[in-house]
Amino acid sequence: WNPRERLFVRTSYSETVARPSFREVGPYFSQSLETGNLVLGNPALTPSDVTNIDLRVERFFGEGGADMVAASVFGKKIDQPIEKVVFNTTEGLVETWNNNPGEADLRGFEIEARKNLGFLGEPLENVTLSGNYTRIDAEVPIDPRTAASIQSIYNRLPPERRPDFETTRRLFDQPEWIANLDLTWTLPAWQTEFVLSYFRISEVLSVTGSASPSTFFYDSYERSYDRLDFGVSKKFGDG
């Protein structure tokens, strides 16, 4: 919907499937560089049905619409999402992939902006600053078998020592937030572009825990980190 010049409202709805990767179904052992555990694919994985809906508003400014601000909201429902889980076996700890029998609920928002810095002076007319921030709330039920085993362990503790037990947790491999910032300098006469970019991400659930009647393994997270990159690209000829 284009209610006025340079203002756009976009929305979409889709139903699709998330198929397992070759590694997730490959029935061979390897070793995780992050945890040191053995990793085994699961040929019994099934695709996950995914429902997506999102709404985005964009406003463009400046010469040729070079400047812009945008805001989006989005939501997903994922049936039986594929997650990485750790088990204890006679060979030691083994990580594999499993369909969570529940439904994941993912929702969030994103804000984005881009601004040419030419208003600060002629030397900066080919310099652009842009960035975006995404917030994600992704929740999924704990596997009923794991929940039952954890509950049985807790039930053996005195009531005053039993910790609170949540029946849901964060969805596997989904950060709470992501942020990007980049500075781009373009030299049209040289067909060259320089980009300095900064990226930061929250901690991410990388391996989900499991439980048996006698023991359980905690969820493992990849720590929050940031990175700084510098890139140069040049075009040769008209092609």
Side-chain angles (χ1 to χ4, degrees):
W1 179 38
N2 183 202
R4 55 180 297 183
E5 186 179 5
R6 296 187 175 188
L7 176 65
F8 299 89
V9 180
R10 311 179 192 273
T11 185
S12 68
Y13 173 87
S14 66
E15 295 181 10
T16 184
V17 293
R19 295 181 296 178
S21 69
F22 288 124
R23 181 63 194 98
E24 290 169 347
V25 298
Y28 63 89
F29 281 101
S30 60
Q31 189 172 30
S32 170
L33 296 176
E34 290 79 17
T35 64
N37 298 332
L38 292 175
V39 180
L40 176 66
N42 179 8
L45 290 177
T46 60
S48 305
D49 293 327
V50 184
T51 302
N52 306 274
I53 187 168
D54 60 78
L55 175 68
R56 178 179 173 89
V57 179
E58 301 170 333
R59 180 72 167 91
F60 294 88
F61 307 89
E63 184 179 352
D67 303 335
M68 62 89 72
V69 293
S72 309
V73 292
F74 55 85
K76 292 179 183 283
K77 294 285 187 181
I78 309 172
D79 187 45
Q80 298 187 22
I82 296 171
E83 300 188 299
K84 199 175 198 181
V85 62
V86 60
F87 292 99
N88 191 20
T89 71
T90 56
E91 301 297 328
L93 295 180
V94 175
E95 298 174 13
T96 188
W97 289 268
N98 183 52
N99 283 99
N100 187 309
E103 182 182 68
D105 183 19
L106 187 151
R107 53 193 176 276
F109 70 88
E110 180 180 32
I111 53 176
E112 180 182 355
R114 182 176 67 243
K115 177 65 177 175
N116 181 276
L117 302 185
F119 70 98
L120 296 176
E122 186 176 346
L124 297 178
E125 63 182 9
N126 291 325
V127 179
T128 301
L129 179 66
S130 61
N132 68 335
Y133 174 81
T134 306
R135 183 79 183 188
I136 305 169
D137 182 14
E139 191 175 63
V140 68
I142 295 176
D143 188 298
R145 294 163 295 186
T146 297
S149 296
I150 294 175
Q151 192 64 64
S152 69
I153 294 173
Y154 285 2
N155 289 343
R156 295 199 293 269
L157 297 174
E160 66 275 8
R161 292 186 55 200
R162 294 176 188 170
D164 294 332
F165 177 50
E166 300 288 343
T167 58
T168 61
R169 59 160 167 75
R170 186 152 194 88
L171 179 62
F172 165 76
D173 205 29
Q174 291 297 319
E176 291 186 18
W177 51 265
I178 302 171
N180 292 279
L181 189 66
D182 62 80
L183 191 66
T184 303
W185 180 30
T186 304
L187 299 176
W190 292 4
Q191 301 188 93
T192 302
E193 186 175 79
F194 302 89
V195 180
L196 180 66
S197 60
Y198 174 76
F199 169 81
R200 187 168 180 84
I201 188 171
S202 70
E203 66 178 17
V204 177
L205 176 60
S206 57
V207 182
T208 63
S210 65
S212 68
S214 59
T215 186
F216 60 87
F217 300 96
Y218 293 101
D219 296 336
S220 298
Y221 286 82
E222 182 177 313
R223 287 183 177 179
S224 174
Y225 69 91
D226 54 4
R227 59 181 289 172
L228 190 66
D229 293 285
F230 179 70
V232 182
S233 63
K234 175 170 175 55
K235 182 179 176 183
F236 295 92
D238 295 333

Coordinates of all heavy atoms in Angstrom, one line a residue, residues 142-190:
I142 N 9.2 -27.3 26.5 CA 10.2 -28.4 26.8 C 9.6 -29.7 26.4 O 8.4 -30.0 26.6 CB 10.6 -28.3 28.3 CG1 11.3 -27.0 28.6 CG2 11.5 -29.5 28.6 CD1 11.6 -26.9 30.1
D143 N 10.5 -30.6 25.8 CA 10.0 -31.9 25.4 C 9.4 -32.6 26.6 O 9.9 -32.6 27.7 CB 11.2 -32.7 24.9 CG 10.8 -34.0 24.3 OD1 10.2 -34.9 25.0 OD2 11.1 -34.2 23.1
P144 N 8.1 -33.1 26.4 CA 7.4 -33.8 27.5 C 8.2 -34.8 28.3 O 8.1 -35.0 29.5 CB 6.2 -34.3 26.9 CG 6.0 -33.5 25.7 CD 7.3 -33.1 25.2
R145 N 9.0 -35.6 27.5 CA 9.9 -36.7 28.2 C 10.9 -36.0 29.0 O 11.2 -36.5 30.2 CB 10.5 -37.5 27.1 CG 9.5 -38.3 26.3 CD 10.1 -38.9 25.0 NE 10.4 -37.7 24.1 CZ 10.9 -37.9 22.8 NH1 11.0 -39.1 22.3 NH2 11.1 -36.8 22.1
T146 N 11.5 -35.0 28.6 CA 12.5 -34.3 29.4 C 11.9 -33.6 30.6 O 12.4 -33.7 31.7 CB 13.3 -33.2 28.6 OG1 14.0 -33.9 27.5 CG2 14.3 -32.4 29.4
A147 N 10.7 -33.0 30.4 CA 10.0 -32.3 31.5 C 9.6 -33.4 32.6 O 9.7 -33.1 33.8 CB 8.8 -31.6 30.9
A148 N 9.1 -34.5 32.1 CA 8.7 -35.5 33.1 C 9.9 -36.0 33.9 O 9.8 -36.3 35.1 CB 8.0 -36.7 32.4
S149 N 11.0 -36.2 33.3 CA 12.2 -36.7 34.0 C 12.7 -35.7 35.0 O 13.1 -36.0 36.1 CB 13.3 -37.1 33.0 OG 12.9 -38.2 32.1
I150 N 12.8 -34.4 34.5 CA 13.2 -33.4 35.4 C 12.3 -33.3 36.7 O 12.7 -33.1 37.8 CB 13.3 -32.0 34.7 CG1 14.4 -32.0 33.6 CG2 13.5 -30.9 35.7 CD1 14.4 -30.8 32.8
Q151 N 11.0 -33.3 36.4 CA 10.0 -33.3 37.5 C 10.2 -34.4 38.5 O 10.1 -34.2 39.7 CB 8.6 -33.3 36.9 CG 7.5 -32.9 37.9 CD 7.6 -31.5 38.4 OE1 7.5 -30.6 37.6 NE2 7.9 -31.3 39.7
S152 N 10.5 -35.6 38.0 CA 10.7 -36.8 38.9 C 11.9 -36.6 39.7 O 11.9 -37.0 40.9 CB 10.8 -38.1 38.1 OG 12.0 -38.1 37.3
I153 N 13.0 -35.9 39.2 CA 14.2 -35.6 40.0 C 13.8 -34.6 41.0 O 14.2 -34.7 42.2 CB 15.3 -35.1 39.1 CG1 15.7 -36.3 38.1 CG2 16.5 -34.6 39.9 CD1 16.8 -35.8 37.1
Y154 N 13.1 -33.5 40.7 CA 12.7 -32.5 41.6 C 11.8 -33.0 42.7 O 11.9 -32.6 43.9 CB 12.0 -31.4 40.9 CG 12.9 -30.5 40.1 CD1 14.3 -30.7 40.0 CD2 12.4 -29.4 39.4 CE1 15.1 -29.9 39.2 CE2 13.2 -28.5 38.6 CZ 14.5 -28.8 38.6 OH 15.4 -28.0 37.8
N155 N 11.0 -34.0 42.4 CA 10.0 -34.5 43.4 C 10.7 -35.3 44.5 O 10.2 -35.5 45.6 CB 9.0 -35.4 42.7 CG 8.0 -34.7 41.9 OD1 7.9 -33.5 42.0 ND2 7.3 -35.4 41.0
R156 N 12.0 -35.7 44.2 CA 12.7 -36.4 45.3 C 13.4 -35.5 46.3 O 14.0 -35.9 47.3 CB 13.8 -37.3 44.6 CG 13.2 -38.5 43.8 CD 14.2 -39.6 43.6 NE 15.3 -39.2 42.7 CZ 15.3 -39.3 41.4 NH1 14.3 -39.8 40.8 NH2 16.4 -38.9 40.7
L157 N 13.3 -34.2 45.9 CA 13.9 -33.2 46.9 C 12.9 -32.7 47.9 O 11.7 -32.8 47.6 CB 14.4 -32.0 46.1 CG 15.5 -32.2 45.0 CD1 15.7 -30.9 44.2 CD2 16.8 -32.6 45.7
P158 N 13.3 -32.3 49.1 CA 12.3 -31.7 50.0 C 11.6 -30.5 49.4 O 12.2 -29.8 48.6 CB 13.2 -31.3 51.2 CG 14.5 -32.1 51.0 CD 14.7 -32.3 49.6
P159 N 10.4 -30.3 49.7 CA 9.6 -29.2 49.1 C 10.3 -27.9 49.2 O 10.3 -27.1 48.2 CB 8.3 -29.2 49.9 CG 8.1 -30.6 50.4 CD 9.5 -31.1 50.6
E160 N 11.0 -27.6 50.3 CA 11.7 -26.3 50.4 C 12.9 -26.2 49.5 O 13.4 -25.0 49.3 CB 12.0 -26.1 51.9 CG 13.1 -27.0 52.5 CD 12.5 -28.3 53.0 OE1 11.3 -28.6 52.7 OE2 13.3 -29.0 53.6
R161 N 13.4 -27.2 49.0 CA 14.6 -27.2 48.1 C 14.3 -27.3 46.6 O 15.2 -27.3 45.8 CB 15.6 -28.3 48.5 CG 16.2 -28.1 49.9 CD 17.3 -29.2 50.1 NE 18.3 -29.2 49.1 CZ 19.1 -30.2 48.8 NH1 18.9 -31.3 49.5 NH2 19.9 -30.1 47.8
R162 N 13.0 -27.5 46.3 CA 12.6 -27.7 44.9 C 12.7 -26.3 44.2 O 12.0 -25.4 44.5 CB 11.3 -28.3 44.8 CG 11.2 -29.7 45.3 CD 9.7 -30.2 45.3 NE 9.6 -31.5 45.9 CZ 8.5 -32.1 46.2 NH1 7.3 -31.6 45.9 NH2 8.5 -33.3 46.8
P163 N 13.5 -26.2 43.1 CA 13.5 -25.0 42.3 C 12.2 -24.8 41.5 O 11.5 -25.8 41.3 CB 14.7 -25.1 41.5 CG 14.9 -26.6 41.3 CD 14.4 -27.2 42.5
D164 N 12.0 -23.6 41.1 CA 10.9 -23.4 40.1 C 11.2 -24.1 38.8 O 12.3 -24.1 38.3 CB 10.7 -21.9 39.9 CG 10.3 -21.1 41.1 OD1 9.7 -21.7 42.0 OD2 10.6 -19.9 41.2
F165 N 10.1 -24.7 38.3 CA 10.3 -25.5 37.1 C 9.4 -24.9 35.9 O 8.2 -24.8 36.0 CB 9.8 -26.9 37.3 CG 9.9 -27.8 36.1 CD1 11.0 -27.8 35.3 CD2 8.8 -28.6 35.7 CE1 11.1 -28.6 34.2 CE2 8.9 -29.4 34.6 CZ 10.0 -29.4 33.9
E166 N 10.1 -24.4 34.9 CA 9.5 -23.8 33.8 C 9.2 -24.9 32.7 O 10.0 -25.7 32.5 CB 10.3 -22.7 33.1 CG 10.7 -21.5 34.0 CD 9.5 -20.6 34.3 OE1 8.5 -20.7 33.5 OE2 9.5 -19.9 35.3
T167 N 8.0 -24.8 32.1 CA 7.6 -25.8 31.1 C 7.9 -25.3 29.7 O 7.7 -26.1 28.7 CB 6.1 -26.1 31.2 OG1 5.4 -24.9 31.1 CG2 5.8 -26.7 32.6
T168 N 8.4 -24.1 29.6 CA 8.8 -23.6 28.3 C 10.3 -23.0 28.4 O 10.8 -22.8 29.5 CB 7.9 -22.5 27.8 OG1 7.9 -21.4 28.7 CG2 6.5 -23.0 27.6
R169 N 10.9 -22.9 27.2 CA 12.2 -22.3 27.2 C 12.4 -21.6 25.8 O 11.5 -21.6 25.0 CB 13.3 -23.4 27.3 CG 13.2 -24.5 26.3 CD 14.5 -25.2 26.2 NE 14.4 -26.4 25.4 CZ 14.3 -26.5 24.1 NH1 14.3 -25.4 23.4 NH2 14.1 -27.7 23.5
R170 N 13.6 -21.0 25.7 CA 13.9 -20.3 24.4 C 14.1 -21.3 23.3 O 14.5 -22.4 23.5 CB 15.2 -19.5 24.6 CG 15.5 -18.6 23.4 CD 16.3 -17.4 23.7 NE 16.2 -16.5 22.6 CZ 15.3 -15.6 22.4 NH1 14.3 -15.5 23.3 NH2 15.3 -14.8 21.3
L171 N 13.7 -20.9 22.1 CA 13.8 -21.7 20.9 C 15.3 -21.9 20.5 O 16.0 -20.9 20.6 CB 13.0 -21.1 19.8 CG 13.0 -21.9 18.4 CD1 12.4 -23.3 18.6 CD2 12.3 -21.1 17.4
F172 N 15.6 -23.1 20.2 CA 17.0 -23.4 19.7 C 17.4 -22.5 18.6 O 16.7 -22.2 17.6 CB 17.0 -24.9 19.3 CG 18.3 -25.2 18.5 CD1 19.5 -25.4 19.1 CD2 18.2 -25.4 17.1 CE1 20.6 -25.8 18.4 CE2 19.3 -25.7 16.3 CZ 20.5 -25.9 17.0
D173 N 18.7 -22.0 18.7 CA 19.4 -21.3 17.6 C 18.7 -19.9 17.3 O 18.9 -19.4 16.2 CB 19.4 -22.1 16.3 CG 20.6 -21.7 15.4 OD1 21.6 -21.2 15.9 OD2 20.4 -21.9 14.2
Q174 N 18.0 -19.3 18.2 CA 17.3 -18.0 18.0 C 17.9 -17.0 19.0 O 17.7 -17.2 20.2 CB 15.8 -18.1 18.1 CG 15.2 -18.9 17.0 CD 15.4 -18.2 15.7 OE1 15.3 -17.0 15.5 NE2 15.6 -19.1 14.7
P175 N 18.5 -15.9 18.6 CA 19.0 -14.9 19.5 C 17.8 -14.0 20.0 O 16.7 -14.0 19.5 CB 19.9 -14.1 18.6 CG 19.3 -14.2 17.3 CD 18.8 -15.6 17.2
E176 N 18.1 -13.3 21.1 CA 17.1 -12.4 21.7 C 17.1 -11.1 20.9 O 16.1 -10.4 20.7 CB 17.4 -12.1 23.1 CG 17.1 -13.3 24.0 CD 17.2 -12.9 25.5 OE1 17.2 -11.7 25.8 OE2 17.4 -13.8 26.3
W177 N 18.3 -10.7 20.4 CA 18.4 -9.5 19.6 C 19.7 -9.6 18.7 O 20.6 -10.3 19.0 CB 18.5 -8.3 20.5 CG 19.5 -8.3 21.6 CD1 19.3 -8.7 22.9 CD2 20.9 -8.0 21.5 NE1 20.5 -8.7 23.6 CE2 21.5 -8.2 22.8 CE3 21.7 -7.5 20.5 CZ2 22.8 -8.0 23.0 CZ3 23.1 -7.3 20.7 CH2 23.6 -7.6 22.0
I178 N 19.6 -8.8 17.6 CA 20.7 -8.6 16.7 C 20.8 -7.1 16.3 O 19.8 -6.5 16.1 CB 20.5 -9.4 15.4 CG1 20.3 -10.9 15.7 CG2 21.6 -9.2 14.4 CD1 19.8 -11.7 14.5
A179 N 22.1 -6.6 16.2 CA 22.3 -5.2 15.9 C 23.4 -5.1 14.8 O 24.4 -5.8 14.9 CB 22.6 -4.4 17.1
N180 N 23.2 -4.2 13.9 CA 24.1 -4.0 12.8 C 24.3 -2.5 12.6 O 23.3 -1.7 12.7 CB 23.7 -4.6 11.5 CG 23.6 -6.1 11.5 OD1 24.7 -6.7 11.3 ND2 22.5 -6.7 11.7
L181 N 25.5 -2.1 12.3 CA 25.8 -0.7 12.0 C 26.9 -0.7 10.9 O 27.9 -1.4 11.0 CB 26.3 0.1 13.2 CG 26.4 1.6 13.1 CD1 25.1 2.2 12.9 CD2 27.1 2.2 14.4
D182 N 26.7 0.1 9.8 CA 27.8 0.1 8.8 C 27.9 1.5 8.2 O 27.0 2.3 8.1 CB 27.5 -0.9 7.7 CG 26.2 -0.7 7.0 OD1 26.3 0.2 6.1 OD2 25.2 -1.4 7.3
L183 N 29.1 1.8 7.9 CA 29.5 3.1 7.2 C 30.1 2.8 5.9 O 31.0 2.0 5.7 CB 30.6 3.8 8.1 CG 30.9 5.2 7.8 CD1 29.7 6.1 8.0 CD2 32.1 5.7 8.6
T184 N 29.5 3.3 4.8 CA 29.8 3.0 3.4 C 30.3 4.3 2.7 O 29.7 5.3 2.7 CB 28.6 2.4 2.7 OG1 28.1 1.3 3.4 CG2 29.0 2.0 1.3
W185 N 31.5 4.2 2.1 CA 32.1 5.3 1.3 C 32.2 4.8 -0.1 O 32.9 3.8 -0.4 CB 33.5 5.6 1.9 CG 34.1 6.8 1.1 CD1 33.5 7.8 0.5 CD2 35.5 7.0 1.0 NE1 34.4 8.7 -0.1 CE2 35.7 8.2 0.2 CE3 36.7 6.3 1.4 CZ2 36.9 8.7 -0.1 CZ3 37.9 6.8 1.1 CH2 38.1 8.0 0.3
T186 N 31.5 5.5 -1.0 CA 31.4 5.1 -2.4 C 32.2 6.1 -3.3 O 32.0 7.3 -3.1 CB 30.0 5.0 -2.9 OG1 29.3 4.1 -2.1 CG2 29.9 4.5 -4.4
L187 N 33.1 5.6 -4.2 CA 33.8 6.4 -5.1 C 33.3 6.1 -6.5 O 33.9 5.1 -7.2 CB 35.3 6.2 -5.0 CG 35.9 6.5 -3.6 CD1 37.4 6.1 -3.6 CD2 35.7 8.0 -3.3
P188 N 32.3 6.7 -7.1 CA 31.7 6.4 -8.4 C 32.8 6.4 -9.5 O 32.7 5.5 -10.4 CB 30.7 7.4 -8.6 CG 30.3 7.9 -7.2 CD 31.6 7.9 -6.5
A189 N 33.7 7.3 -9.5 CA 34.6 7.4 -10.6 C 35.6 6.2 -10.7 O 36.0 5.8 -11.7 CB 35.5 8.7 -10.5
W190 N 35.9 5.7 -9.5 CA 36.7 4.5 -9.4 C 36.0 3.2 -9.3 O 36.6 2.1 -9.3 CB 37.6 4.6 -8.2 CG 38.6 5.7 -8.2 CD1 38.8 6.7 -9.2 CD2 39.6 6.0 -7.2 NE1 39.8 7.5 -8.9 CE2 40.4 7.2 -7.7 CE3 40.0 5.5 -6.0 CZ2 41.4 7.7 -7.0 CZ3 41.0 6.0 -5.3 CH2 41.7 7.1 -5.8

